[in-house]
Amino acid sequence: MSDTSTETRSLTYAFAKDKGLVVMGEEDGAISLGVRAGADPMAIIEARRALGRPLRFTSLDAGRFERELSEAYARSAIENEEADAMDSHGDLHSLIDDIPQTADLLDGDDDAPVVRLINGLIYEAVKRRASDVHIEPHEDNLSVRYRIDGVLQEVLTPSRKLAAPLTSRVKVMARLDIAEKRIPQDGRISLSIGGRSIDVRVSTLPSRYGERVTMRLLDTRNALLGLDELGMDPETLARFRTVLAQPNGITLVTGPTGSGKTSTLYSALSVLNNGQRNVMTLEDPIEYGLEGISQTQMHHKVGLTFAATLRAILRHDPDVVMVGEVRDLETAKVAFEFSSTGRPVLSTVHTNSSVGAIQRLRDMGIEPYVLAATMRAVLAQRLVRKLCDTCKTPHEATPEEKAMFAIPADEAHTFYRPSGCMACAQTGYQGRLGVYELLLVDQEMRRLIREDVSEDELEARAFADHDTLFRNAARYVTTGQTSVEEVLRVCRKDEDA
């Protein structure tokens, strides 16, 4: 099997997109050519001439064609020299060597090397599936790190002299004020890699040795997942679908930053957006565009806060409202008032567990009887890294590990550890898996909330017969998909486990 990206260079992206043809791979000397419905037969003949190989045709509908096209040419743009990000010299280190030793971007006559380095950093981040790029100046050097599968990895440590030109160039691309270095700034950069749209959220922050820059990479294809694609176990998925079918009440998704809350909310909205409902969202910021849904961006400087905007959109006859985050009592009160009128509300809150979300709202000032009447469910979630299938190494579970995961002591069981190879960049992990716990507010839970009982009592009742985060993550350990260490890094061990 040859590399697909090598073959796609024989068909230009413009030709492939316009004519509805995409090279999908090669097998037994023949090229697999994806053909969109309605493709011009003359274009197929031209593609056969350009590729110079026998063809095997695969019929694609419009949706699958777009996915195959984006995947093929994004990979081609990154791995080959078609992208402007990488010149013929190769990797990021060679791009650094091309940059003249100037103290400031404005001092140089030619900023092309800096542009190539920034582009190279972004393209390399996309290639490695990084969610964030951190550029941090220190006393002696500049640290460039990628957050991959939730963990930061250092990729470059060039001279600190590069801090000013790199920061200035990023600020120019994000349309920020390059002269203002005393206050934080936020902006956006929109990029396209072979037809694959990447939105980059840029944030700058003054620090001791200069401005640090964080770039968050938002790829729409990675966020807009169906509910079945989130990795919920069948029981949790069925219970969550039951919650979404409720005609009113508040459903919260909770977890730390980067745990996939936004993806879960968007998946839930896609279920609720059946074309017969007016679905409206309030977000800060809007991360991904959702078709058929009205999305409003918060603007705190002009008073466009969650609470103020939520009051305004209630006059627009919404059927479903998603509030990006319940941050304060005012927002919480308006959300609960709206849900009490017979409409569903989705939102997030930053807590460590599903029961913790109820306690957080009580601490904010929401009365227990209001919580009991309007709360429908709280979904807590985490993401654990998936072991690399190429290099994971087996080991016999220790007695302590068996006890931790409720495996009989006399039963032999194989667990797996990370090792590290070229496929996973020596990390031992590749990709992530969703871990969930779902608290349903049934009649008994409503009684307990009204009585203002402790978190421990609520947790004991809510998860007597259902998975906690730790128990839900255990399924990945026992099936060899992740390691014990990774689960303990992300989830608190159950006290009764």
Side-chain angles (χ1 to χ4, degrees), residues 80-193:
N80 299 314
E81 290 74 32
E82 287 189 11
D84 291 337
M86 296 293 185
D87 65 3
S88 59
H89 298 300
D91 60 15
L92 295 174
H93 293 279
S94 68
L95 293 176
I96 290 177
D97 295 337
D98 289 343
I99 298 177
Q101 300 299 310
T102 56
D104 194 291
L105 177 69
L106 301 179
D107 293 338
D109 294 330
D110 181 13
D111 64 354
V114 177
V115 174
R116 285 199 296 271
L117 178 57
I118 291 294
N119 289 344
L121 286 173
I122 295 174
Y123 280 104
E124 185 72 11
V126 172
K127 176 182 176 182
R128 298 194 192 184
R129 299 173 294 102
S131 61
D132 301 85
V133 179
H134 293 253
I135 303 174
E136 308 166 59
H138 300 296
E139 184 176 8
D140 300 319
N141 59 27
L142 181 68
S143 171
V144 180
R145 297 188 292 174
Y146 291 160
R147 186 175 294 280
I148 301 174
D149 294 335
V151 178
L152 284 172
Q153 299 176 20
E154 193 162 70
V155 293
L156 286 175
T157 54
S159 167
R160 195 164 76 88
K161 292 181 180 179
L162 284 178
L166 282 181
T167 302
S168 296
R169 179 60 201 173
V170 171
K171 291 169 77 172
V172 168
M173 294 171 70
R175 294 179 172 84
L176 302 179
D177 184 355
I178 64 171
E180 181 55 80
K181 302 178 181 180
R182 302 165 297 173
I183 61 174
Q185 297 186 65
D186 295 295
R188 304 180 85 109
I189 304 171
S190 294
L191 302 172
S192 180
I193 308 175

Side-chain angles (χ1 to χ4, degrees), residues 279-349:
V279 182
M280 304 184 74
T281 74
L282 293 75
E283 302 177 60
D284 186 22
I286 296 173
E287 295 197 6
Y288 302 99
L290 300 174
E291 188 174 350
I293 292 177
S294 173
Q295 297 172 271
T296 302
Q297 166 82 48
M298 298 302 93
H299 198 326
H300 298 279
K301 290 182 180 178
V302 298
L304 204 61
T305 62
F306 278 120
T309 313
L310 184 53
R311 284 195 177 92
I313 70 170
L314 297 186
R315 295 189 287 271
H316 287 257
D317 188 32
D319 294 300
V320 180
V321 170
M322 190 271 274
V323 182
E325 183 183 349
V326 175
R327 296 177 178 174
D328 51 44
L329 177 59
E330 188 180 9
T331 305
K333 280 185 173 179
V334 178
F336 276 88
E337 287 171 9
F338 173 69
S339 67
S340 66
T341 64
R343 297 288 187 271
V345 176
L346 303 177
S347 189
T348 68
V349 62

Side-chain angles (χ1 to χ4, degrees), residues 22-82:
V22 60
V23 175
M24 299 171 59
E26 180 185 352
E27 188 173 2
D28 298 331
I31 291 176
S32 176
L33 188 71
V35 181
R36 185 178 59 199
D40 183 359
M42 294 303 294
I44 296 175
I45 295 173
E46 177 62 20
R48 169 69 176 82
R49 185 197 63 78
L51 294 169
R53 307 284 284 280
L55 301 180
R56 291 180 179 173
F57 302 106
T58 302
S59 180
L60 305 176
D61 60 31
R64 187 183 172 196
F65 173 78
E66 289 298 330
R67 289 194 297 272
E68 293 285 350
L69 182 75
S70 179
E71 179 65 27
Y73 285 89
R75 183 170 59 245
S76 175
I78 294 167
E79 295 179 356
N80 299 314
E81 290 74 32
E82 287 189 11

Side-chain angles (χ1 to χ4, degrees), residues 401-456:
E401 290 172 338
K402 290 179 183 179
M404 189 184 304
F405 294 97
I407 297 173
D410 58 351
E411 180 181 314
H413 200 96
T414 301
F415 284 175
Y416 289 83
R417 292 193 181 103
S419 179
C421 64
M422 292 293 290
C424 60
Q426 305 301 326
T427 64
Y429 297 96
Q430 196 169 36
R432 288 191 286 181
L433 303 162
V435 178
Y436 302 90
E437 69 175 25
L438 180 61
L439 182 155
L440 287 182
V441 182
D442 55 16
Q443 188 171 351
E444 177 64 15
M445 283 298 296
R446 277 195 286 273
R447 181 185 67 78
L448 294 174
I449 293 172
R450 276 196 302 268
E451 294 176 0
D452 208 13
V453 302
S454 68
E455 279 191 60
D456 290 340

Side-chain angles (χ1 to χ4, degrees), residues 220-236:
T220 305
R221 297 186 320 158
N222 294 338
L224 305 183
L225 300 174
L227 212 54
D228 297 334
E229 301 174 272
L230 294 176
M232 291 185 189
D233 61 281
E235 186 204 8
T236 302

